[in-house]
Structure formats: structure tokens, C-alpha cells
Amino acid sequence: MRIGAHVREDIDPLASAEKCGAEVVQFFLADPQGWKKPPAHPMAEQLRAAASAGDATLFVHSPYVVNLASTNNRIRIPSRKLVTQHAEAAATVGAAGLIVHGGHVTAGEDPAVGVQNWQKFFARQADEGGFAVPILIENTAGGDNAMARRFDALARLWDAVGEFDAGFCLDTCHAFAGGENLVDVVDRAKAITGRIDLVHLNNSRDEFNSARDRHANIDSGTIDPDQLVAVCAAAGAPVVVETPAEGQASDIAFLRERLG
């Protein structure tokens, strides 16, 4: 099992990964709060070489502003464009996938429309040859009309996009804050998606079902660290900690010791 971290230094992700002992490296290719097309990465050649040699497994996280479920054309259409652009840019650095949050519709809107918007995007892209890298849909922590907070909603989304070979990223903090029991979360997720491609292994600063997405280091949150280890072991997928940077090296070392 490969273990790593989301690194904050996007210019030289490999150097940041080395500092915290990460074998899996996740990073942004552009401002996570912005709508601009990602520029060519200055270390694309080195990143591709590291991925090709097996020295690092790379993942790119899409900007937080992306909402493919939105009924607002001014959000949904730019979101589609941004995901396509980031997938293309992720391919240039040798990334194994692009993580995209499930998104949501607003209060009073029908979540089924958000599901349809996801399905239309995947179907259109399939007609155009697919995405440059796999799209890994990540479960989220809050929002009553979210596509991937509750697992019943995730099941409806997967019924719409699963045929297009979508991937799945399981975030432990998000699941816990979203009201999903971590004891059997892997089995339930796999029953819906058939796969877990990546685990975001984060503790939570808040209580169960808080709907708040505030990550904590493994030994300092409200989730039992033993339960987090059990999720990793059951998932059998690469692991990325998105925990506070000052504790990431310790988080990675803890997981390596416990998981072998």
C-alpha cells in the first residue's frame, strides 16, 4: 500500500513529498479557488519521469469552485471546461487521476437534476473520446442537496455515471462529518461504486454528522485512529493524508508502522 500526502508546494511537489516521506503525491495545478486554465507545469517532465519509474504515484485535485451538478449555467458550464482542462493538464504530469468533488444543487432544487448534469457531462465527454485521466469523484461533508454526502445520494449518482468508468475517492473526514459510520464504510462504498481508487485519510476536528469539513491530524481529531487504520486496510487503495502540514510526516509514519 502506498501512502502519501497532499503537498502545499505545487511548484516542486516531489521535493515536498520527500520532506514528509510521501510515496503518493497530490497537488493542485492552479489556484484552488480560481477559474483559470492551469498553466504548463514547470516540472512536468520530472513529474512524468517519477511516475513512470514508480518513484511516486501522482494525483491532481481539481479546484474547489468546480460544481458539475449546478443548475446555474454560469457555474456548471465553466466547471465542465475546468475539469476537462485540468484532466488534460494532469495527464502532462503523469497523474493517475483527477479528484473532483460531487457538488450540489441549491435549496429548493431537485437533486435529480444535479445527477442528470453529471451524467450529461460524462456522456458528452465519452462521445468526444473520454477524459485525459480518470475522474475520481470524492464524497463530501455537507449540504442537504449534495450529490455525494449521504451514500444514498452517492448511489443515485453512480447509477448515472458508473457506466462511464468513473473512479471513486473516499474521504474519511467527509464521510464521518456527513453522517456515515466508518465501521463499514468501505464495504458500503464498494457496494455502490464497485471500487475505491484513492483514500483521503483525514481525522476530523468536529463531531460525527457535523457537516463540517475541517481536517485534523490522525492522532488529534474526533475519529479513533484505529478506525482510520482499519479503513485504509480494508480499502486496499493508495492513501493520501490531507492533514495539517506540520503533522503530515508523523501521520505517514504512523500509517506505515500500523499497516506494514
Side-chain angles (χ1 to χ4, degrees):
M1 181 182 300
R2 307 203 88 184
I3 302 169
H6 181 101
V7 298
R8 273 64 178 180
E9 176 51 69
D10 303 331
I11 299 301
D12 192 348
L14 297 177
S16 297
E18 185 176 0
K19 289 178 183 178
C20 63
E23 299 168 318
V24 185
V25 191
Q26 179 181 286
F27 52 99
F28 293 112
L29 289 174
D31 179 1
Q33 301 293 348
W35 292 96
K36 291 183 178 180
K37 177 181 179 179
H41 198 285
M43 291 189 61
E45 184 176 348
Q46 295 95 316
L47 290 165
R48 283 197 309 273
S52 179
D55 296 333
T57 302
L58 308 179
F59 290 93
V60 170
H61 200 299
S62 65
Y64 297 132
V65 294
V66 165
N67 185 358
L68 295 169
S70 178
T71 61
N72 185 335
N73 290 345
R74 294 184 178 181
I75 296 175
R76 185 183 68 261
I77 293 174
S79 293
R80 290 174 173 177
K81 183 176 182 180
L82 204 59
V83 167
T84 303
Q85 290 172 337
H86 275 259
E88 292 170 351
T92 68
V93 299
L98 175 70
I99 294 89
V100 181
H101 287 175
H104 62 277
V105 295
T106 58
E109 295 182 325
D110 186 354
V113 178
V115 171
Q116 291 171 4
N117 287 337
W118 266 96
Q119 194 276 338
K120 289 176 182 177
F121 177 51
F122 268 75
R124 186 191 70 178
Q125 200 62 32
D127 289 341
E128 296 179 1
F131 295 100
V133 298
I135 303 299
L136 310 186
I137 301 173
E138 180 181 353
N139 61 303
T140 50
D144 291 336
N145 287 333
M147 301 297 102
R149 175 189 177 186
R150 303 289 190 187
F151 275 24
D152 56 346
L154 177 64
R156 290 190 291 272
L157 177 60
W158 224 262
D159 284 343
V161 303
E163 65 178 293
F164 301 107
D165 197 32
F168 182 60
C169 173
L170 173 65
D171 187 298
T172 54
C173 173
H174 295 178
F176 180 81
E180 298 293 341
N181 193 326
L182 294 187
V183 170
D184 61 351
V185 71
V186 170
D187 288 341
R188 289 186 293 116
K190 286 185 176 180
I192 293 168
T193 66
R195 59 197 292 172
I196 294 177
D197 300 271
L198 179 66
V199 175
H200 282 171
L201 200 282
N202 305 304
N203 211 319
S204 175
R205 293 168 59 187
D206 301 291
E207 69 279 3
F208 179 74
N209 202 24
S210 66
R212 302 184 71 181
D213 174 17
R214 299 198 304 168
H215 297 177
N217 292 106
I218 291 175
D219 63 353
S220 62
T222 56
I223 305 172
D224 183 347
D226 288 340
Q227 186 62 70
L228 295 174
V229 172
V231 170
C232 289
V239 174
V240 162
V241 296
E242 299 175 313
T243 52
E246 60 274 11
Q248 282 185 342
S250 296
D251 289 339
I252 291 170
F254 172 83
L255 290 174
R256 286 215 178 99
E257 179 183 356
R258 295 293 299 275
L259 293 167

